[in-house]
Amino acid sequence: MKEINLTVNNQPYRLSVPPHRTLLEVIREDLGLTGTKEGCSLGECGVCTVLMDGKTVNSCLVLVGEADGKEITTIEGLASSDKLHPIQQAFVDHGGLQCGFCTPGMILSAKALLDKNPHPTEEEIKQGIAGNLCRCTGYAKIIESIKAAADNMGGK
Amino acid sequence: MSELSVIGQRVPRVDAWEKVTGQAKYAADYSLPDMLWCKLLRSPYPHARILNIDTSKAEKLPGVKGIVIGKDFGGWSWGWMPATRDETPLAVDKVRYMAEAVAGVAAVDEDTAEEATGLIKVEYEELPGVFDPEEAMKDGAPKVHDYVKNNISVEYHWNFGDVDKAFAQSHLVREDRFRTARATHGYLEPPAILAYYDPTGYITVWASKQSPYFHYRHLAACFKVPLSRVRVVQPFIGGGFGGTKNDSLGGDFCAVLLSKMTGKPVKYIESMEEELATSRRRHSVIVYSKMGVDKDGLLKAVQHRVVADGGGYTAIGPLSMYLNGFMTTLPYKLPHFKFDAYRVFTNNPIGAAMRGHGVTHTRFAAELQMEMLAEELGIDPVEMRMRNAIDNPKPGETYETINKVTLKTCGLKQAIKEAVEDPVWRNRGKMPKKEGDISWGVGLSGTSYSGGARQMGHQACAAIIRLCEDGTVNLITGATDCGQGSDTVLCMIAAEELGIKLEDVSIKRVDTAYTPVDPGSYGSRVTILAGQATQKAARQVKKQLLEVAAKNWQVKPEDIEIRLGEVYLKSDPSKKMPFIKLAHIACYSGTGAVIMGTGYSSYGIELLDLTNGIGNGGCSYSFTAHTARVGVDMETGQITTTDFTIASDCGRLLSPIQAEGQIEGGAIQGLGQALYEDFIMDKGKTLNPTFLDYKMPHALDVPNIKLIDIVTDDPFGPFGAKETSEGSIVSAPPAVVSAIHDATGIWFKELPVTPEKVIKALKEKK
Amino acid sequence: MITFYRRLPKFNYLAPTTLDEALSLLAQHQGKARVIAGGTDLVPKLKRREIGEPDYVIDLKGIAGLDEIKQDAHGLTIGALVTIGAVETSPQIQQKFGILAQAAQSMASPQVRNRGTIAGNICNAVPSADSAPALLTIGARLKLISQKSQRTVGIEDFFTGPSRTALTDEEILAEILLPDMPPNSKGVYLKLTPRRAMDLAIVGVAAVAVPEDGVCKDIRIALGAVAPTPLRAKKAEEVLKGQKFDDNLIEKAAKTAAGQARPIDDHRASAEYRRDMVEVLVRRAIKQAIGSQP
């Protein structure tokens, strides 16, 4: 078994898990945070995206030992008590989601993008979510939602 | 129509909050204490007899609690029609496609279950396989099923008018062969189920089912449990798009049986590679299309001979082949039509339904062929379509095709007019044709899809509306929101009918223990049919409330109106009360009343005449005019799609944000099937069962999409609505391929049009 | 028998804190251990049981000093743990070895680039590895270290076959040395893919040109995805070296490069298409490198 310490959504956890577990499995099955989804399991679809020390990663590709000592943000960590994060709110308002399965990963990729680049062009938005597949929306309203979030967060 | 208060508003979907916060639970998110994990063992051969299965070593692995094989299901099989029940939960005597499941293991954790499958020894006798439907039809081809001749799973021969005479009289006739891609749904949520068979003989499953009541009936039949003791609880669904999640899987039945055997809940999740390699796909179809026109380009006759790759089992095949043909008489006037359809068994994965079911193949062929004829005749493609398009019937009138498809609204001409006025088409002559190595082209398509499917068996949707004493309302229905947004639309309909605000209507997921039976989410039927049921249930509640209000105010019920939560006297709106007060009065009248309304859709059934192809497959039909602009790199063949303009006649958009999302999403799925998506097969083996190589569009691949809303207010309704979800997946491929022709001068008749195919064709042209 | 795995095979996870420790573990567990840096190639391969089931996975990320891009008198050194994302955004790399930054930008997805390493990309050694053509044109040298020895291997000698390298079971690729490029050199990496994201290269072409008054002072052309290993198209280079850059000569070089390719048919593309595209991409890459084409 591997002992690890990690912080998830500002909560510290100490876990004892078999070393061949992935961060995705630990988040979903040991911590019960099922907001992060499992899609392709191979790092090709992006639905398992979480922030690890501020950067987006495919959590299905991170071994649990590699997450030791790291700060993880999952979708559950974005909203504050009763208020949605502006990106979440923008997705709600602009229809940036349909079935919702890609949404947690998509929103976190959007967050990583806007944290680094608060006023992205449309091309930069598309590059920022290039690792997140969506099968429902055709991306149109996702891009619109991220633009709106950028506007709202930039205080325009 | 009097001014609507909720319908037509741009509102967020009712489940948006749960989805953006990660609170929405999908099938794989459910767990129960003591749960076991199920894993399937699959066949390494596409066609083989199963001689022996030895599970003894696997049984001894610590942690393994149960193993099932094909025989354990007692010979039960299922299928879309009684005569086509040829699929078993696990293969029994033979496997008929690569990686068909042959055994299932339940163990204390998934690692152990996976390890155990490796310990099961299966002896196979490999059989020669057949992988091309035209080869499979020939005499002497390996037999996939013994109960049919020449591997023909489904066969239809329809004949309307006299095509031979019409062709003889045509000014110009073309014959071409088209082929559509091996495409699949591509949802990001792999199918999953958590099953519990409790010892009293009650089955509960949480399963990613787009139409839970199909599964409910399958479980009842397979396990001989009464329907009242089958509970399918529907989680949120991560995309359905018709097909697999509208049916049951071997893994579902294994999970339930293993639960029965072990007394514990059993969870089964497919890996995505497993899903892409083994699951139901869209049929890949060869269309031999013959089309004749007069000198003005008016259609005289269309003859289609269609050969579909059915894969190893029938599944929904009979409907697929029907849908390939019945709408060929839309959206253009067609006086003569002959249809010969063959769905052929092969040792490939099963061909089944997908969004745009059936129509997409033959409409692709017919649209392109019409453009080819227009080109030969020197007729402008817009003019060609306008001459042939069905006119919008006048109010009260019905248009009927030669195979008795009837419709009351058709906005195709208006859609075409507006689509071509948009700059993408209008400016195509003014923009540079060549820029460096890029050749630009613009294409157009005019297509149709059916909505409100109500075909055979049980086809009525039902809704229950329950008024709470505080004036809020619960909407209970068996209709499924698989991500398309129907929950939102139904809540809006309920709110509009009752006269209350949308936020006061609450809806929860389907649970067959509580919700009324529903035929399912397919054939773009939910808004139309479940919508009608919701309207009726709401009106029943409203009637009761108006009677209470009338008594209270000493007037007649028809003197009162309710709108956005306010109850008022029509003749003097200053006489009013809040809805919440009326609810209170109603609920507390006498010793207390329970105010509920029920309704079910009453559009009846049109029994599909599969044999002759006569009649309606739906209640109404959407019409789409779609322009596309592409740039073709003439040296590499790479294609960039820059613009889509999509003019859609969907009757009336009830929930515009949701409807637009459906049109945009469908168009991009269509783009995927036009340019990128194809399973590459090698003797039954799928070479690209991953998202790396089954290439669905990414954000960087999509064009700017402009939507134009054409309102025709169809009388079927509700509120004039027609289907919105499948029109654009049918319109996109021909529009894109037409644009590629404009850019390259080449007609591509096989999808997808990959860069390599473009270069090959350009070379051959030289 | 076919089982589609969702879980990884069981292994022991080791997290050495020094390079010596890591090397000692590798030597100790000969052949039964796998090294992990970014994991974006290793984890999928383990999941699909493509490389068997190693007893040990040795995580290098606890070792200090391996994640730096260092400058010295001769050029730049990229440590084993430098991510593709770091290379993509490094001002030093963008300035001095722009072609490598271009290659990095073309890889996979933002998520994968945040984890995957350039060293890992080379060691995984698929013929389509995007960093390889760029590194070949740069003439990168690789520092391979084992418990017993250290050696430096030129990248042109590193790839020995599809997914095979000169690295032994006991060695780690510790550093990638990039010798300074000639002044006035410009490099272009072109990657041919059906989609604009996520795809492996069907053909990858790297070209670095050193023009001087319209004459080709130096030219380096490397090809990916069209042979068992990434390779330098030296014969194509010879066509141009010392000659004036003109369209006909560039075309001849491109054709020569296509002749040097040994592509196969696979489910992504045919050999014929690949060969044809080598010619197109080499021509475009050279022209872009000398600025005669945008």
Side-chain angles (χ1 to χ4, degrees):
Chain A
M1 295 294 254
K2 179 102 185 79
E3 307 283 324
I4 60 159
N5 292 294
L6 72 169
T7 307
V8 182
N9 301 331
N10 292 318
Q11 282 260 38
Y13 291 93
R14 192 197 185 81
L15 299 167
S16 182
V17 287
H20 68 290
R21 291 272 83 91
T22 62
L23 176 60
L24 177 63
E25 289 163 16
V26 167
I27 290 172
R28 285 177 55 79
E29 293 168 8
D30 296 274
L31 302 183
L33 295 169
T34 56
T36 309
K37 305 303 177 196
E38 181 150 14
C40 72
S41 313
L42 299 172
E44 294 167 358
C45 72
V47 301
C48 69
T49 302
V50 299
L51 297 176
M52 193 158 90
D53 285 353
K55 290 206 160 118
T56 51
V57 299
N58 294 312
S59 59
C60 71
L61 297 184
V62 178
L63 300 179
V64 67
E66 296 177 293
D68 193 11
K70 299 274 191 278
E71 281 195 32
I72 313 288
T73 306
T74 70
I75 188 68
E76 291 94 338
L78 272 203
S80 57
S81 55
D82 59 345
K83 207 166 158 224
L84 292 178
H85 187 283
I87 300 175
Q88 290 170 311
Q89 190 63 56
F91 271 68
V92 169
D93 295 337
H94 295 270
L97 65 140
Q98 290 184 30
C99 81
F101 202 74
C102 77
T103 306
M106 189 71 73
I107 288 178
L108 289 171
S109 282
K111 177 172 197 303
L113 169 73
L114 295 180
D115 283 348
K116 214 168 66 169
N117 181 358
H119 303 289
T121 61
E122 184 167 313
E123 174 74 13
E124 285 168 339
I125 291 176
K126 290 179 176 182
Q127 291 282 357
I129 58 171
N132 292 78
L133 274 171
C134 175
R135 191 56 163 168
C136 294
T137 66
Y139 305 98
K141 291 195 189 318
I142 290 177
I143 294 165
E144 195 188 310
S145 301
I146 297 174
K147 275 189 191 151
D151 288 345
N152 295 339
M153 286 159 72
K156 272 217 204 121
Chain B
M1 184 165 293
S2 63
E3 210 190 284
L4 298 166
S5 57
V6 178
I7 295 290
Q9 299 292 315
R10 299 188 71 84
V11 294
R13 55 184 59 217
V14 297
D15 51 23
W17 189 93
E18 287 132 293
K19 289 172 177 172
V20 297
T21 56
Q23 296 307 312
K25 282 194 158 23
Y26 299 75
D29 300 333
Y30 285 91
S31 290
L32 283 172
D34 262 9
M35 186 173 83
L36 301 175
W37 284 80
C38 170
K39 195 71 192 176
L40 299 186
L41 176 67
R42 294 175 172 280
S43 157
Y45 304 112
H47 197 200
R49 229 183 292 282
I50 299 174
L51 299 175
N52 187 52
I53 304 183
D54 178 3
T55 61
S56 55
K57 213 167 163 211
E59 285 167 36
K60 293 196 190 81
L61 185 68
V64 170
K65 299 297 181 191
I67 301 182
V68 291
I69 61 173
K71 295 197 195 91
D72 297 330
F73 289 95
W76 185 78
S77 64
W78 87 103
W80 192 70
M81 295 169 70
T84 64
R85 287 178 181 157
D86 57 18
E87 199 173 355
T88 50
L90 290 172
V92 181
D93 307 317
K94 263 201 343 173
V95 292
R96 294 180 172 84
Y97 60 93
M98 179 75 89
E100 183 178 351
V102 300
V105 177
V108 294
D109 56 51
E110 201 173 17
D111 292 320
T112 307
E114 289 182 347
E115 192 183 340
T117 60
L119 297 173
I120 298 175
K121 286 199 184 1
V122 184
E123 262 178 75
Y124 295 99
E125 179 198 332
E126 212 183 337
L127 298 168
V130 63
F131 308 105
D132 175 277
E134 290 182 307
E135 285 302 312
M137 282 168 80
K138 294 185 180 155
D139 287 334
K143 283 180 120 186
V144 180
H145 284 276
D146 290 325
Y147 76 96
V148 297
K149 267 211 181 100
N150 291 105
N151 287 317
I152 294 176
S153 153
V154 175
E155 186 175 346
Y156 299 143
H157 301 285
W158 304 345
N159 209 344
F160 301 98
D162 186 341
V163 294
D164 289 329
K165 189 163 161 210
F167 285 131
Q169 291 173 345
S170 295
H171 175 75
L172 188 57
V173 176
R174 274 198 73 104
E175 286 188 66
D176 297 279
R177 180 187 190 273
F178 299 87
R179 186 170 194 153
T180 54
R182 297 183 180 282
T184 196
H185 315 85
Y187 33 70
L188 299 183
E189 179 209 18
I193 186 170
L194 172 62
Y196 182 52
Y197 190 114
D198 96 36
T200 67
Y202 194 105
I203 299 175
T204 308
V205 302
W206 291 261
S208 52
K209 295 300 173 203
Q210 185 177 334
S211 299
Y213 290 91
F214 286 140
H215 189 53
Y216 152 90
R217 293 193 190 101
H218 293 162
L219 291 178
C222 178
F223 295 97
K224 300 191 182 36
V225 168
L227 290 170
S228 57
R229 301 182 70 78
V230 176
R231 184 176 179 196
V232 179
V233 183
Q234 192 186 54
F236 284 92
I237 314 266
F241 315 117
T244 300
K245 291 180 181 174
N246 263 342
D247 204 334
S248 295
L249 293 172
D252 298 327
F253 298 111
C254 287
V256 176
L257 183 56
L258 285 164
S259 179
K260 183 178 182 188
M261 282 164 58
T262 61
K264 304 237 189 282
V266 176
K267 188 162 179 174
Y268 169 69
I269 306 177
E270 281 203 344
S271 85
M272 190 56 81
E273 206 175 321
E274 189 169 19
E275 155 67 24
L276 293 173
T278 67
S279 217
R280 281 134 163 75
R281 306 171 173 176
R282 195 197 280 292
H283 288 83
S284 165
V285 178
I286 303 166
V287 182
Y288 293 96
S289 184
K290 188 172 178 184
M291 187 180 278
V293 294
D294 71 13
K295 63 170 172 50
D296 295 316
L298 290 174
L299 285 172
K300 288 194 74 75
V302 167
Q303 183 171 347
H304 277 164
R305 182 169 176 276
V306 158
V307 180
D309 184 345
Y313 295 93
T314 304
I316 202 171
L319 179 61
S320 311
M321 303 322 293
Y322 173 84
L323 294 171
N324 260 273
F326 99 99
M327 272 185 66
T328 306
T329 51
L330 293 180
Y332 307 108
K333 295 173 281 225
L334 184 61
H336 303 276
F337 174 50
K338 190 167 192 285
F339 179 65
D340 297 290
Y342 303 90
R343 179 185 188 272
V344 189
F345 288 125
T346 63
N347 296 114
N348 289 323
I350 299 165
M354 184 180 168
R355 193 174 191 174
H357 196 187
V359 177
T360 186
H361 312 283
T362 44
R363 183 45 42 197
F364 171 69
E367 269 303 284
L368 284 194
Q369 213 170 34
M370 199 164 161
E371 289 231 315
M372 293 173 186
L373 288 164
E375 191 185 30
E376 279 188 63
L377 288 173
I379 299 176
D380 170 77
V382 178
E383 184 57 31
M384 183 75 165
R385 287 182 173 80
M386 293 300 269
R387 288 181 192 173
N388 283 287
I390 293 166
D391 291 288
N392 194 15
K394 297 197 184 65
E397 284 182 8
T398 302
Y399 173 85
E400 187 177 278
T401 70
I402 47 168
N403 61 326
K404 300 203 184 327
V405 172
T406 59
L407 50 89
K408 294 189 188 292
T409 58
C410 173
L412 181 63
K413 284 192 172 176
Q414 189 62 28
I416 294 173
K417 256 201 210 108
E418 296 198 29
V420 304
E421 268 164 23
D422 174 84
V424 170
W425 184 268
R426 189 163 38 90
N427 291 342
R428 75 198 198 288
K430 300 182 202 151
M431 302 192 68
K433 208 59 203 274
K434 268 215 118 197
E435 276 179 309
D437 298 305
I438 310 291
S439 186
W440 292 102
V442 178
L444 167 69
S445 71
T447 62
S448 177
Y449 200 76
S450 86
R454 48 191 174 107
Q455 294 140 5
M456 30 183 38
H458 189 302
Q459 280 297 313
C461 296
I464 302 167
I465 290 190
R466 217 172 57 181
L467 177 71
C468 300
E469 55 213 41
D470 63 357
T472 62
V473 145
N474 295 108
L475 171 56
I476 301 159
T477 172
T480 298
D481 190 328
C482 53
Q484 84 280 38
S486 58
D487 277 359
T488 304
V489 172
L490 296 178
C491 287
M492 289 172 80
I493 290 173
E496 185 72 53
E497 284 292 342
L498 286 169
I500 60 177
K501 296 190 190 137
L502 176 61
E503 65 245 36
D504 290 334
V505 182
S506 173
I507 190 169
K508 278 287 171 228
R509 312 292 303 165
V510 171
D511 179 335
T512 67
Y514 303 107
T515 48
V517 149
D518 186 275
S521 291
Y522 56 83
S524 287
R525 59 192 307 284
V526 181
T527 297
I528 295 173
L529 292 156
Q532 190 203 32
T534 303
Q535 271 183 315
K536 291 178 161 196
R539 285 174 190 165
Q540 232 187 55
V541 169
K542 191 169 179 184
K543 182 164 183 280
Q544 295 169 65
L545 290 175
L546 288 178
E547 279 165 13
V548 168
K551 202 163 160 207
N552 202 273
W553 284 345
Q554 309 257 303
V555 297
K556 292 203 280 296
E558 52 265 37
D559 298 332
I560 302 175
E561 189 48 271
I562 313 178
R563 189 183 158 82
L564 286 175
E566 285 280 303
V567 187
Y568 58 92
L569 199 58
K570 282 183 196 170
S571 56
D572 176 15
S574 68
K575 175 127 185 90
K576 59 184 178 166
M577 69 170 131
F579 184 84
I580 182 176
K581 186 166 178 209
L582 176 56
H584 207 259
I585 295 171
C587 292
Y588 282 89
S589 51
T591 50
V594 177
I595 310 285
M596 275 175 51
T598 60
Y600 65 89
S601 60
S602 58
Y603 287 131
I605 287 202
E606 282 239 8
L607 283 177
L608 289 187
D609 183 352
L610 300 178
T611 312
N612 298 304
I614 294 173
N616 276 311
C619 299
S620 53
Y621 302 85
S622 70
F623 293 91
T624 308
H626 188 144
T627 65
R629 182 166 182 266
V630 304
V632 180
D633 184 325
M634 299 295 270
E635 290 195 312
T636 65
Q638 288 165 304
I639 297 174
T640 306
T641 315
T642 60
D643 298 275
F644 274 175
T645 298
I646 309 173
S648 313
D649 160 28
C650 305
R652 176 176 288 274
L653 301 184
L654 304 190
S655 190
I657 293 182
Q658 275 57 258
E660 289 164 10
Q662 287 289 288
I663 297 168
E664 290 159 356
I668 298 308
Q669 287 187 353
L671 177 68
Q673 287 168 23
L675 298 184
Y676 307 107
E677 296 176 35
D678 197 19
F679 279 120
I680 314 293
M681 307 298 293
D682 177 23
K683 298 198 190 60
K685 181 172 182 201
T686 305
L687 298 180
N688 57 331
T690 64
F691 286 144
L692 178 65
D693 287 318
Y694 179 79
K695 297 182 186 291
M696 308 197 300
H698 277 270
L700 288 162
D701 300 306
V702 303
N704 290 322
I705 303 179
K706 172 133 175 252
L707 299 182
I708 299 172
D709 182 23
I710 307 292
V711 179
T712 53
D713 275 322
D714 195 274
F716 264 107
F719 301 104
K722 295 196 285 190
E723 81 89 28
T724 52
S725 300
E726 301 186 75
S728 59
I729 198 174
V730 177
S731 65
V736 169
V737 175
S738 164
I740 295 171
H741 170 259
D742 190 38
T744 62
I746 299 173
W747 289 109
F748 286 93
K749 302 178 199 173
E750 279 201 23
L751 297 179
V753 184
T754 60
E756 184 164 345
K757 282 185 190 162
V758 172
I759 294 304
K760 187 154 181 243
L762 286 172
K763 265 187 180 178
E764 280 165 15
K765 194 174 171 202
K766 284 200 207 121
Chain C
M1 307 304 154
I2 294 186
T3 301
F4 288 94
Y5 294 93
R6 285 186 357 108
R7 306 282 177 169
L8 286 167
K10 296 192 172 121
F11 52 77
N12 292 300
Y13 171 85
L14 304 169
T17 53
T18 67
L19 192 53
D20 284 338
E21 203 188 326
L23 294 168
S24 154
L25 287 170
L26 258 187
Q28 191 187 338
H29 298 300
Q30 273 195 41
K32 299 215 185 99
R34 284 275 173 170
V35 152
I36 188 170
T40 55
D41 285 320
L42 182 71
V43 175
K45 276 155 74 163
L46 287 174
K47 264 195 202 160
R48 296 159 86 186
R49 307 305 194 269
E50 270 171 28
I51 50 173
E53 304 191 4
D55 293 335
Y56 299 93
V57 170
I58 302 172
D59 187 354
L60 298 179
K61 292 191 289 299
I63 302 169
L66 286 181
D67 62 351
E68 291 166 15
I69 301 174
K70 286 190 286 226
Q71 184 157 335
D72 66 30
H74 308 287
L76 281 177
T77 306
I78 300 177
L81 297 177
V82 173
T83 64
I84 298 167
V87 165
E88 180 192 353
T89 56
S90 150
Q92 296 169 296
I93 302 258
Q94 284 175 356
Q95 212 179 70
K96 297 179 131 206
F97 300 97
I99 192 174
L100 186 59
Q102 288 172 45
Q105 193 184 50
S106 77
M107 288 200 235
S109 66
Q111 291 93 322
V112 168
R113 299 198 292 273
N114 282 335
R115 295 287 288 169
T117 60
I118 295 284
N121 187 237
I122 303 172
C123 292
N124 194 45
V126 291
S128 58
D130 289 303
S131 65
L135 290 169
L136 280 165
T137 59
I138 293 168
R141 298 179 61 66
L142 310 173
K143 195 153 158 205
L144 310 179
I145 304 185
S146 73
Q147 193 182 38
K148 296 198 191 86
S149 63
Q150 257 193 43
R151 58 188 179 124
T152 305
V153 169
I155 186 141
E156 63 276 5
D157 299 317
F158 186 69
F159 302 109
T160 58
S163 303
R164 289 202 321 271
T165 69
L167 205 65
T168 67
D169 272 346
E170 295 183 25
E171 282 177 320
I172 290 175
L173 168 54
E175 276 179 354
I176 304 166
L177 310 155
L178 308 180
D180 272 328
M181 303 287 273
N184 300 325
S185 65
K186 175 139 180 260
V188 170
Y189 177 64
L190 295 180
K191 178 178 180 177
L192 181 70
T193 54
R195 295 179 298 183
R196 285 192 62 206
M198 212 63 215
D199 287 340
L200 295 186
I202 289 183
V203 173
V205 167
V208 171
V210 187
E212 194 176 74
D213 296 325
V215 172
C216 174
K217 188 147 175 237
D218 191 9
I219 181 106
R220 307 163 193 193
I221 302 168
L223 312 176
V226 293
T229 68
L231 71 151
R232 281 277 288 272
K234 292 234 165 91
K235 288 201 190 125
E237 294 170 5
E238 291 307 314
V239 170
L240 282 167
K241 270 209 189 110
Q243 307 292 327
K244 232 175 152 140
F245 279 115
D246 77 53
D247 283 354
N248 286 330
L249 211 57
I250 291 173
E251 184 55 49
K252 186 169 175 211
K255 278 202 167 72
T256 308
Q260 294 204 264
R262 281 140 40 224
I264 55 166
D265 290 322
D266 71 10
H267 61 275
R268 296 191 181 109
S270 70
E272 184 186 336
Y273 178 70
R274 286 186 149 120
R275 199 187 301 277
D276 288 344
M277 292 305 108
V278 168
E279 188 185 323
V280 173
L281 258 58
V282 167
R283 182 188 354 108
R284 289 184 180 181
I286 296 172
K287 285 189 166 173
Q288 282 180 39
I290 63 175
S292 70
Q293 181 176 309

